[in-house]
C-alpha cells in the first residue's frame, strides 16, 4: 500500500517537534556546528591515545595528494620498509608510485578494451555493459592488481620516476583517458557488429593502445627500462648500482615472493560463506596476469593473523571504509567518535552484513597497519600509516579502535606462512565468481 504525505501529517510532525523542549537547543547546535561536530564524543579522543605495545618503524608518511592511488601507496609502503631496513636508506625513501601508476593505467586501458570486445554482442542497456562504461578506468585498485604490475614491470625508486602534475592530481588525466576509451569502445563494438575478423580487431586495438601510450607518456613521463640506483645510507656510505632494470631492482632490494601473500576478506553476508574463495568478474588490470582472489574469513581469525605478522616485524596492508566514523584531522577511526543516533533520537544501526547488502558501506581506502596495542593478549587499538601526508593525525599516522576494525575493515593481505593448514587448503580452492558490482570488488 502506498500513499502520499498528507498535510495533517506534517502538522503532527511539527507539533511533536514543538512539544520537545530540547529541540530548540539541538537545532541551534546542529545548524551552527553540523551533525558530526555536535554529536562528537570527547571520550573517544582520550581512548585513542597513540601508544602501542607493538609499534613498527616505517619512516616518513607518503602523500598521494589529489589522486586515488591509496592501494598503490599502501602496498609500496609495505615494500619500502624492507629496503629501508636491509640497505639502511633514509626514512624519507619511497618507491615510485608514478611508475606503477603509468603501467596500471596502460594495462587497465587494454583490460577495458578486451572487456568491450568480450561484451560487444550484449546490448548497451545490459547491466554489465552499463557498469563497464560507467568508469572505463580509474585510480583505484587491489593488492593482486599491484602484484600483477610488479610481476610484469618491476618497480623503481621514486627518484627515478618522480610525481608529475597528472599523477598527483589525476582528475584531468582520468577525464580524457576515459573519454578516449569510450570513443574506442564505440569503434570496437561497431567492428564486432559488422563481423570484423580477429585480425582487424587486433590491429585496431593496437592503434588505440599506441595513442593511449602517448597520452600517458605526455602526462606521467616515460617509464624507464633500466637506471642507476645511487644513494647514501644512514651511515653516510655511498652506493651506486648502474644499469639495473626495474625487475632486477625489485628482486634485489625488496626481495619478496609476491605469491607468498594472499588477500583475506571479511564479508559476513549470506551470499559468501566463510572459508571459501571469491573473485570478481571483470576486475583486474593486466590481461592474463594475476587474478584477484579473496579468502573469506571471520574477523577474529583475520585479527589473529594480522597480529602474528606484526609480531614478526612486518606491516599489514588492509582495506576499509575510511569515511565511516572517522576524524581525518585528529587521525582517529572509532565507532564511539560520533553519536548521531542519540543526537536525532533515532535508530541508525545496521549490521556489517546489512551495510554491505544495502549499499551503506564498501571498501574505499587502503592503508597499512604498523602497530597494535595488546592488553591481556587482546587488541584494543591499532596504529595505521596513511598516505595523506603528515598533516592529518600524528604526523600522518592514525589510531583505529578494535571495534572500528570489526565494523569497517574488509580486507587484509597476509603472508601464507601465518595461515593454518585448514586456511591454506581453503585458500587453494577455485574461487566463486561474483558480479562486477559486488562490494568485495570495490577498488581502494
Amino acid at each position: 500500500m502506498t500513499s502520499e504525505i498528507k498535510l495533517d501529517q506534517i502538522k503532527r510532525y511539527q507539533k511533536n517537534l514543538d512539544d520537545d523542549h530540547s529541540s530548540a537547543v539541538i537545532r541551534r547546535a546542529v545548524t551552527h556546528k553540523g551533525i558530526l561536530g555536535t554529536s562528537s564524543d570527547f571520550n573517544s579522543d582520550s581512548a585513542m591515545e597513540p601508544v602501542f605495545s607493538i609499534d613498527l618503524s616505517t619512516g616518513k608518511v607518503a602523500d598521494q595528494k589529489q589522486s586515488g592511488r591509496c592501494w598503490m601507496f599502501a602496498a609500496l609502503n609495505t615494500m619500502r620498509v624492507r629496503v629501508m631496513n636491509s640497505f639502511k636508506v633514509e626514512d624519507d625513501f619511497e618507491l615510485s608510485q608514478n611508475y606503477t601508476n603509468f603501467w596500471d593505467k596502460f594495462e587497465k586501458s587494454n583490460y577495458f578494451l578486451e572487456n568491450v570486445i568480450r561484451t560487444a554482442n550484449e546490448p548497451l542497456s545490459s547491466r554489465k555493459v552499463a557498469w563497464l562504461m560507467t568508469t572505463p578506468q580509474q585510480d583505484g585498485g587491489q593488492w593482486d592488481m599491484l602484484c600483477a604490475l610488479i610481476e610484469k614491470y618491476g618497480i623503481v625508486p621514486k627518484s627515478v620516476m618522480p610525481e608529475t602534475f597528472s599523477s598527483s592530481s589525476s582528475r584531468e588525466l582520468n577525464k580524457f583517458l576515459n573519454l578516449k576509451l569510450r570513443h574506442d569502445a564505440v569503434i570496437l563494438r561497431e567492428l564486432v557488429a559488422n563481423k570484423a575478423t580477429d585480425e582487424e580487431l587486433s590491429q585496431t586495438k593496437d592503434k588505440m593502445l599506441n595513442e593511449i601510450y602517448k597520452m600517458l607518456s605526455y602526462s606521467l613521463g616515460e617509464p624507464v627500462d633500466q637506471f642507476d640506483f645511487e644513494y647514501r645510507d644512514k651511515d653516510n656510505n655511498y652506493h651506486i648500482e648502474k644499469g639495473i632494470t626495474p625487475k632486477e631492482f625489485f628482486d634485489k632490494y625488496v626481495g619478496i615472493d609476491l605469491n607468498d601473500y594472499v588477500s583475506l576478506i571479511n564479508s559476513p553476508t549470506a551470499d559468501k560463506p566463510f572459508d571459501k574463495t571469491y573473485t570478481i568478474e571483470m576486475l583486474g588490470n593486466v590481461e592474463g596476469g594475476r587474478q584477484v582472489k579473496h579468502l573469506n574469513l571471520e574477523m577474529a581469525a583475520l585479527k589473529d593473523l594480522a597480529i602474528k605478522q606484526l609480531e614478526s616485524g612486518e606491516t599489514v596492508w588492509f582495506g576499509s571504509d575510511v569515511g565511516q566514523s572517522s576524524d581525518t584531522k585528529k587521525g582517529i577511526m572509532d565507532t564511539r567518535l560520533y553519536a548521531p543516533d542519540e543526537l536525532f533520537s533515532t535508530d541508525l544501526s545496521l549490521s556489517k552484513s546489512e551495510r554491505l547488502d544495502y549499499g551503506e558501506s564498501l571498501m574505499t581506502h587502503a592503508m597499512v597497519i604498523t602497530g597494535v596495542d595488546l592488553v591481556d593478549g587482546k587488541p584494543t587499538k591499532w596504529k595505521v600509516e596513511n598516505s595523506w601526508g603528515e598533516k592529518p593525525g600524528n604526523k600522518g599516522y592514525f589510531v583505529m579502535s578494535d571495534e572500528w576494525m570489526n565494523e569497517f575493515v574488509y580486507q587484509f593481505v597476509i603472508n601464507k606462512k601465518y595461515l593454518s593448514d585448514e586456511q591454506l587448503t581453503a585458500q587453494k580452492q577455485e574461487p566463486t565468481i561474483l558480479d562486477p558490482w559486488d562490494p568485495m570488488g570495490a577498488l581502494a
Side-chain angles (χ1 to χ4, degrees):
M1 175 180 169
T2 60
S3 64
E4 73 279 12
I5 296 175
K6 303 280 196 320
L7 291 178
D8 62 335
Q9 286 179 267
I10 297 175
K11 290 179 180 179
R12 176 162 46 85
Y13 301 156
Q14 184 61 49
K15 184 178 185 304
N16 291 339
L17 191 61
D18 293 339
D19 290 343
D20 183 350
H21 298 299
S22 64
S23 64
V25 176
I26 296 173
R27 185 189 303 113
R28 285 194 294 269
V30 176
T31 53
H32 281 84
K33 295 294 184 180
I35 295 170
L36 296 182
T38 307
S39 65
S40 61
D41 188 344
F42 179 75
N43 291 325
S44 176
D45 292 20
S46 58
M48 293 295 101
E49 182 71 15
V51 179
F52 308 90
S53 57
I54 298 175
D55 192 344
L56 306 183
S57 177
T58 54
K60 183 179 178 181
V61 168
D63 191 351
Q64 68 187 75
K65 298 186 178 178
Q66 285 76 50
S67 73
R69 297 171 292 160
C70 58
W71 61 291
M72 193 175 288
F73 272 71
L76 294 177
N77 285 346
T78 66
M79 296 175 190
R80 71 169 178 163
V81 176
R82 289 179 169 270
V83 185
M84 291 164 55
N85 292 341
S86 298
F87 297 91
K88 295 184 177 181
V89 299
E90 295 296 333
D91 288 348
D92 59 354
F93 173 81
E94 291 183 46
L95 297 167
S96 175
Q97 303 91 359
N98 189 29
Y99 177 81
T100 49
N101 184 45
F102 181 101
W103 292 120
D104 180 56
K105 290 199 173 296
F106 188 59
E107 289 286 352
K108 277 177 179 170
S109 297
N110 181 60
Y111 197 84
F112 170 79
L113 296 174
E114 286 292 322
N115 278 320
V116 168
I117 294 171
R118 280 191 279 263
T119 60
N121 290 316
E122 296 189 29
L124 286 169
S125 58
S126 80
R127 185 175 183 184
K128 191 175 294 185
V129 174
W131 178 87
L132 186 62
M133 297 304 165
T134 298
T135 311
Q137 65 78 44
Q138 59 176 295
D139 289 350
Q142 287 271 352
W143 169 269
D144 286 321
M145 293 164 65
L146 187 72
C147 291
L149 293 171
I150 293 175
E151 287 165 354
K152 187 170 183 178
Y153 298 105
I155 57 176
V156 302
K158 188 172 183 175
S159 58
V160 172
M161 190 168 178
E163 293 288 290
T164 68
F165 177 91
S166 293
S167 66
S168 295
S169 181
S170 59
R171 183 171 61 88
E172 286 183 3
L173 175 57
N174 284 331
K175 173 181 172 61
F176 291 107
L177 182 53
N178 284 336
L179 173 60
K180 163 68 174 165
L181 290 170
R182 292 187 180 103
H183 168 271
D184 292 348
V186 173
I187 296 171
L188 291 174
R189 285 179 63 88
E190 288 178 350
L191 283 173
V192 172
N194 292 326
K195 310 298 182 185
T197 65
D198 289 345
E199 181 63 22
E200 289 173 318
L201 286 169
S202 178
Q203 290 178 357
T204 301
K205 195 187 75 160
D206 182 70
K207 179 177 181 294
M208 294 169 175
L209 288 173
N210 185 70
E211 293 168 344
I212 290 167
Y213 188 91
K214 178 174 64 176
M215 291 176 69
L216 294 175
S217 294
Y218 287 171
S219 302
L220 302 175
E222 296 181 16
V224 298
D225 55 10
Q226 65 175 22
F227 60 95
D228 297 340
F229 181 42
E230 187 177 21
Y231 70 98
R232 283 191 179 275
D233 63 28
K234 292 181 179 179
D235 298 324
N236 203 35
N237 296 312
Y238 174 77
H239 303 267
I240 185 169
E241 183 154 6
K242 295 185 176 181
I244 191 171
T245 69
K247 291 188 75 173
E248 289 170 344
F249 178 84
F250 174 78
D251 291 340
K252 178 175 180 177
Y253 289 94
V254 178
I256 61 173
D257 185 348
L258 293 172
N259 291 316
D260 287 341
Y261 293 84
V262 294
S263 170
L264 309 174
I265 60 171
N266 176 247
S267 179
T269 51
D271 64 326
K272 298 181 190 70
F274 289 124
D275 303 313
K276 302 291 183 182
T277 62
Y278 302 90
T279 190
I280 298 89
E281 186 179 3
M282 296 199 294
L283 177 62
N285 53 358
V286 178
E287 187 72 22
R290 178 163 168 163
Q291 179 189 46
V292 173
K293 183 179 180 181
H294 306 309
L295 170 63
N296 195 20
L297 296 177
E298 296 195 40
M299 182 53 76
L302 287 178
K303 289 194 285 189
D304 286 344
L305 292 168
I307 291 169
K308 288 179 182 178
Q309 190 155 301
L310 289 168
E311 287 175 333
S312 74
E314 187 172 1
T315 59
V316 179
W317 186 103
F318 78 105
S320 67
D321 189 355
V322 72
Q324 300 275 6
S325 198
S326 65
D327 186 318
T328 298
K329 185 177 181 180
K330 295 177 180 177
I332 293 175
M333 299 176 288
D334 183 19
T335 54
R336 299 160 295 182
L337 191 57
Y338 306 110
D341 49 350
E342 295 178 15
L343 176 68
F344 293 120
S345 300
T346 191
D347 187 357
L348 298 176
S349 62
L350 287 173
S351 67
K352 191 172 188 177
S353 60
E354 289 167 342
R355 290 190 209 101
L356 291 170
D357 284 338
Y358 286 84
E360 172 59 25
S361 183
L362 75 172
M363 189 167 67
T364 61
H365 190 55
M367 296 176 283
V368 182
I369 298 174
T370 66
V372 62
D373 197 29
L374 299 176
V375 178
D376 298 326
K378 300 294 182 182
T380 61
K381 56 190 174 184
W382 304 74
K383 184 180 179 183
V384 173
E385 179 185 6
N386 207 338
S387 54
W388 292 345
E390 292 190 294
K391 288 185 178 180
N394 182 16
K395 294 184 178 180
Y397 288 88
F398 283 38
V399 182
M400 171 175 58
S401 72
D402 193 59
E403 293 82 1
W404 196 94
M405 176 180 279
N406 289 337
E407 298 298 327
F408 300 116
V409 169
Y410 296 110
Q411 183 180 12
F412 286 155
V413 170
I414 298 292
N415 192 309
K416 289 190 294 188
K417 67 183 179 182
Y418 301 114
L419 273 63
S420 67
D421 290 342
E422 293 78 11
Q423 290 166 342
L424 284 170
T425 299
Q427 200 279 330
K428 293 176 183 177
Q429 298 173 75
E430 192 67 22
T432 298
I433 302 174
L434 304 173
D435 290 327
W437 43 86
D438 190 274
M440 289 301 106
L443 300 182

